[in-house]
């Protein structure tokens, strides 16, 4: 086998490989001999068909089949010999494939880029210094109460948190528009369901009151004909209701599966859950900063084959999400452009973290795997059952091992990074958009 390597452009390479004629011809003859034993041809007994007949009828297709197998096999041998690391599958083109002549073919493919890690100590990480306090716990209990709130009709001036039943009729440039009219519509003030300004304008209205309000559709509104447009809405309020929160007592605790220990036991359980979620959120924020710093400090060539694979993964994930909302038969083919930027980022992160793992010879820490599984299981009613399920599912276990190894790489980078600490509140971390 003769091999030459050519750089086409960037990460793209071309191998030109020549397989000796004798190797190919012997393989073809052996394959034709096997064919002659199984093929039935009129006028000949099974297994007694002359070689010349078999050659004439099947020679071309058999040679094509053998060539395909030899190209794949010799390509693998070539990249091993040349110490080349392909990214994605090669494309083969046979340049010569004739009886008595060497099989010559080209294999075109991309290689993984060379990644050189640098300036890891310049990655800046601001680790949140935060814990769950009594005020956070009290606020969470209000949220839990609201999950089981009831409504009581009233006649007073409405305020945030009240529920209104109303009619509205909207106009843009004096014309009604699709979706701008409703009767008996229920709206909780402060829920943020309507366009900006709508709920604010109707807060303070009473039963039987009528009012015309003016609001402006945001520039990024989903309906093209309404983007940035000023609209008028005629409002009629038919009913107003105030929220009635349940009393926090033993019966309230039972709503959340706490049968013994009452409110104190519920507070302990909620506090534990909040702490677990906070720990995960802090870890995620630290990881996000590490990844951003790593990306900002490194330029990496991206194999288009890897990006295309990642685009397919993201597309499939999106399709699976949409399947719960509409008939799969009606789902459109989502364009690659929707996912390209995210795919490129994920490939770059994977290459950089992969280099961290390789050069530092990081191995999967089984204790970390167990910790990750235990953390995931703690959110379920029977954690032991979840842990056993992971232990008996090789695919899930492999996924968790990959997650553990990635976290180990991030932990390594955190150790190298410039880390500072900043005081933060539970709300800052868990609900940053609600500031």
């Amino acid at each position: 086998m003769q091999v030459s390597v050519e750089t086409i452009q960037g990460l793209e390479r071309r191998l030109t490989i020549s397989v000796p004629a004798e190797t190919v011809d012997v393989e073809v003859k052996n394959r034709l001999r096997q064919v002659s034993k199984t093929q039935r041809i009129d006028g000949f007994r099974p297994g007694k068909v002359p070689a010349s007949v078999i050659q004439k009828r099947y020679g071309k297709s058999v040679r094509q089949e053998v060539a395909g197998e030899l190209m794949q096999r010799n390509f693998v041998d070539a990249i091993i010999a040349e110490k080349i690391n392909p990214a994605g599958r090669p494309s083969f083109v046979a340049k010569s494939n004739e009886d008595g002549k060497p099989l010559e073919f080209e294999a075109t493919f991309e290689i993984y880029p060379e990644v050189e890690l640098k300036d890891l100590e310049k990655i800046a990480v601001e680790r949140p210094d935060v814990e769950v306090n009594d005020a956070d716990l009290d606020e969470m209990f209000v949220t839990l109460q609201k999950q089981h709130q009831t409504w009581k009709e009233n006649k007073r001036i409405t305020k945030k948190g009240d529920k209104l039943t109303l009619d509205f009729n909207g106009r843009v440039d004096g014309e009604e528009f699709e979706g701008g009219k409703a009767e008996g519509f229920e709206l909780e003030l402060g829920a943020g369901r309507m366009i900006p300004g709508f709920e604010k304008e109707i807060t303070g209205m009473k039963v039987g009151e009528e009012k015309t309000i003016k609001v402006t559709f945001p520039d990024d509104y989903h309906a093209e004909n309404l983007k940035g447009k000023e609209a008028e809405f005629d409002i009629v309020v038919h009913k107003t209701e105030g929220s009635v929160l349940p009393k926090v007592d033993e019966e309230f605790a039972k709503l959340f599966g706490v049968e013994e220990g009452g409110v104190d036991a519920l507070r302990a359980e909620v506090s534990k859950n909040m702490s677990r979620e906070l720990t995960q959120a802090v870890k995620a924020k630290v990881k996000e900063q590490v990844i951003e710093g790593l990306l900002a400090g490194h330029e990496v060539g991206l194999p288009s084959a890897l990006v295309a694979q990642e685009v397919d993964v993201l597309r499939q994930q999106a399709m699976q999400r949409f399947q719960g909302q509409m008939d799969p038969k009606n789902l459109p083919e989502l364009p690659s452009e929707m996912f390209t930027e995210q795919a490129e980022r994920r490939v770059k992160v994977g290459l950089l973290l992969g280099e961290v793992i390789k050069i530092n010879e990081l191995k999967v820490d089984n204790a970390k795997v167990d910790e990750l599984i235990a953390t995931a299981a703690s959110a379920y009613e029977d954690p032991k059952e979840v842990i056993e399920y992971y232990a008996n599912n090789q695919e899930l276990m492999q996924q968790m091992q990959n997650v553990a190894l990635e976290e180990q790489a991030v932990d390594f980078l955190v150790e190298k990074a410039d880390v500072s600490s900043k005081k933060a509140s539970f709300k800052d971390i868990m609900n940053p958009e609600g500031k």
Side-chain angles (χ1 to χ4, degrees), residues 165-230:
T165 302
L166 50 86
D167 299 341
F168 63 80
N169 189 16
R171 298 177 300 280
V172 170
D173 297 330
E175 299 291 332
E176 295 184 3
F177 56 91
E178 185 178 356
K181 184 176 184 179
E183 295 181 355
F185 186 78
E186 292 188 349
L187 176 64
E188 183 178 343
L189 296 176
R193 290 175 56 193
M194 309 299 283
I195 60 175
F198 190 100
E199 293 175 23
K200 181 180 178 182
E201 288 292 326
I202 65 174
T203 299
M205 294 183 69
K206 297 183 297 184
V207 172
E209 186 175 351
E210 300 183 14
K211 183 179 181 181
T212 299
I213 65 172
K214 291 185 179 181
V215 293
T216 302
F217 283 93
D219 293 333
D220 60 353
Y221 194 68
H222 64 273
E224 191 68 32
N225 62 316
L226 298 176
K227 289 182 177 180
K229 294 282 190 176
E230 186 177 88

Side-chain angles (χ1 to χ4, degrees), residues 153-393:
E153 191 169 351
N154 59 43
K155 302 295 182 182
R156 60 172 169 75
I157 293 175
T158 54
K159 60 182 182 179
K160 183 179 179 180
D162 286 347
K163 184 167 70 173
L164 282 66
T165 302
L166 50 86
D167 299 341
F168 63 80
N169 189 16
R171 298 177 300 280
V172 170
D173 297 330
E175 299 291 332
E176 295 184 3
F177 56 91
E178 185 178 356
K181 184 176 184 179
E183 295 181 355
F185 186 78
E186 292 188 349
L187 176 64
E188 183 178 343
L189 296 176
R193 290 175 56 193
M194 309 299 283
I195 60 175
F198 190 100
E199 293 175 23
K200 181 180 178 182
E201 288 292 326
I202 65 174
T203 299
M205 294 183 69
K206 297 183 297 184
V207 172
E209 186 175 351
E210 300 183 14
K211 183 179 181 181
T212 299
I213 65 172
K214 291 185 179 181
V215 293
T216 302
F217 283 93
D219 293 333
D220 60 353
Y221 194 68
H222 64 273
E224 191 68 32
N225 62 316
L226 298 176
K227 289 182 177 180
K229 294 282 190 176
E230 186 177 88
E232 286 187 340
F233 284 90
D234 296 329
I235 309 293
V236 181
V237 177
H238 296 293
K239 184 168 76 170
T240 62
E241 298 170 276
S243 170
V244 180
L245 300 180
K247 185 178 180 181
V248 179
D249 54 16
E250 192 168 323
E251 291 303 313
F252 181 75
K254 290 180 180 180
L255 294 174
F256 298 92
V258 178
E259 297 294 334
E260 297 182 3
V263 176
D264 289 341
L266 178 61
R267 286 182 70 87
E269 183 66 23
V270 172
S271 179
K272 183 177 72 173
N273 291 340
M274 291 173 66
S275 295
R276 182 185 66 246
E277 292 175 6
L278 181 61
T279 298
Q280 295 303 314
V282 169
K283 184 187 292 186
K285 285 190 175 293
V286 170
K287 178 179 179 179
E288 180 183 2
Q289 294 175 72
V290 168
I291 296 300
E292 288 299 330
L294 193 63
L295 290 172
H298 296 83
E299 287 297 327
V300 180
L302 302 180
S304 58
L306 296 186
V307 175
Q309 290 173 17
E310 199 62 41
V311 165
D312 285 341
V313 170
L314 292 170
R315 181 190 284 117
Q316 288 300 319
Q317 291 173 350
M319 296 288 280
Q320 288 172 2
R321 289 194 297 270
F322 288 139
Q323 282 177 10
Q325 304 172 21
M326 61 188 297
D327 188 336
K329 297 178 181 177
N330 297 327
L331 286 174
E333 177 66 22
L334 301 177
S336 298
E337 293 75 18
M338 287 181 61
F339 311 102
T340 301
E341 184 176 348
Q342 185 182 358
E344 290 176 344
R345 175 187 170 88
R346 288 173 61 158
V347 170
K348 186 176 180 181
V349 170
L351 291 170
L352 290 169
L353 290 181
E355 188 66 15
V356 172
I357 292 168
K358 184 178 75 173
I359 65 175
N360 295 287
E361 299 181 346
L362 299 180
K363 306 296 181 185
V364 175
D365 183 348
N366 290 326
K368 194 169 193 67
V369 175
D370 293 341
E371 177 189 338
L372 289 169
I373 293 174
T375 299
S378 65
Y380 292 85
E381 186 176 346
D382 188 350
K384 184 179 179 181
E385 182 179 338
V386 176
I387 292 172
E388 289 178 353
Y389 183 73
Y390 269 90
N392 295 320
N393 189 310

